[in-house]
Amino acid sequence: MERKFKESIGLNPKKFGNVVRLHHFLKLLKDKPVDANFTSICYDAGFSDQSHLIKDFRKHTGISPTEYLYNSRKLANNLIKTLPATIS
């Protein structure tokens, strides 16, 4: 099943789940209320703690969440490392 998933999607199920969770975090961050803090958004997105989020975020985008917040090219940053290496 895992092989079929990777053939169809281009990522293994675990990596795909990580990318989906990260995009969920980005949506929560975009739609956050004024009084929401970073830690609560992190937990709401399914990360166990902030360091886990930061590690995954940096792994997939190449930058930290703080750098992302202050970067004007957010869409381009979202796609940097989420595409499989086999796509050229």
Side-chain angles (χ1 to χ4, degrees):
M1 186 190 273
E2 185 175 333
R3 188 179 75 240
K4 291 285 188 189
F5 187 92
K6 187 170 183 167
E7 287 173 7
S8 297
I9 304 297
L11 300 169
N12 67 39
K14 184 174 182 176
K15 184 162 183 156
F16 181 76
N18 289 340
V19 171
V20 168
R21 182 175 54 194
L22 183 61
H23 280 275
H24 179 62
F25 167 76
L26 292 172
K27 183 179 180 339
L28 292 174
L29 189 63
K30 181 182 144 208
D31 300 336
K32 72 177 171 85
V34 176
D35 62 343
N37 66 26
F38 196 72
T39 305
S40 65
I41 296 170
C42 169
Y43 291 136
D44 290 344
F47 290 94
S48 56
D49 56 25
Q50 268 187 300
S51 64
H52 184 210
L53 164 70
I54 293 167
K55 179 182 166 193
D56 273 7
F57 198 96
R58 191 176 297 275
K59 182 170 121 183
H60 291 289
T61 64
I63 60 175
S64 72
T66 304
E67 290 170 314
Y68 174 83
L69 285 173
Y70 297 108
N71 193 325
S72 61
R73 297 182 336 230
K74 291 182 174 137
L75 181 59
N77 288 333
N78 286 343
L79 299 174
I80 290 173
K81 292 190 178 181
T82 58
L83 296 175
T86 57
I87 297 176
S88 297

